[in-house]
Amino acid sequence: MGVRGYSRAPDATERLLVEGLGFAAEGDGSFTTSGAERRGVYWLDPAPEDHGEQGAGTVHHVAWTSPDPDHADWGRRAAAAGARPTGIIDRQYFHSIYFREPGRVLFEIATVGPGFAVDEEPERLGEELRLPPQYEPLRERIEEVLEPIESPRAAMRGPGGAAGR
């Protein structure tokens, strides 16, 4: 899995990736990072002359995950490499730290926990729209624009409610 980023300060972006975040420079314009369960690639290109516009097909931010106990250390590492990270932000399902790299791409480092089972039973995940408390006042507007999908778990349970009946 990977992403391509443009930078108007590629040398400074490279320093943040390698020295601050521990990426390996592969020598072909790409930088890799890996952990016990995941691997990521960040391709770094010089920014085009024209400024981009946010819209369909663009990415708002690039996110990585960290083990929960190591999370605060990633903010310190980013700061030591010259970034200006936010504090740890509670997103209900995970905790995040955000910062812009020198080329202005927004990075997020998020924890795995507490997870999506924080407000519903694991065997019923995805059957209902769950929203963090700050978005509950917008529920009607959000539901109006979402296209309904069928939960494979609900279909397996069938009308009787339990799988295999």
Side-chain angles (χ1 to χ4, degrees):
M1 189 61 67
V3 66
R4 182 172 303 278
Y6 296 117
S7 178
R8 294 194 189 286
D11 292 340
T13 297
E14 181 175 344
R15 274 192 303 281
L16 173 68
L17 290 170
V18 174
E19 296 170 17
L21 302 179
F23 280 67
E26 300 300 333
D28 61 356
S30 70
F31 300 83
T32 58
T33 184
S34 60
E37 297 179 28
R38 296 179 181 97
R39 178 180 184 278
V41 180
Y42 191 86
W43 285 275
L44 179 62
D45 290 325
E49 289 298 315
D50 294 337
H51 287 277
E53 290 185 33
Q54 193 70 34
T58 63
V59 174
H60 178 266
H61 68 281
V62 179
W64 289 275
T65 183
S66 75
D68 295 14
D70 301 339
H71 196 236
D73 188 48
W74 285 105
R76 288 189 286 275
R77 289 177 66 171
R84 295 189 332 219
T86 63
I88 295 173
I89 299 172
D90 184 347
R91 296 288 188 211
Q92 182 166 339
Y93 303 110
F94 51 90
H95 300 112
S96 292
I97 298 169
Y98 297 91
F99 55 93
R100 291 198 182 274
E101 54 85 21
R104 305 297 301 148
V105 174
L106 180 61
F107 285 174
E108 173 188 17
I109 300 177
T111 61
V112 174
F116 292 106
V118 73
D119 60 0
E120 61 188 315
E121 296 299 317
E123 59 275 356
R124 302 201 68 97
L125 282 171
E127 292 182 12
E128 297 178 23
L129 175 62
R130 297 292 180 161
L131 297 172
Q134 68 267 30
Y135 295 113
E136 276 300 336
L138 302 172
R139 178 175 284 279
E140 265 185 48
R141 288 178 42 203
I142 292 169
E143 288 178 337
E144 284 175 6
V145 298
L146 291 178
E147 185 175 323
I149 58 172
E150 184 177 329
S151 165
R153 287 192 185 113
M156 287 184 345
R157 273 198 290 280
R165 280 196 185 165

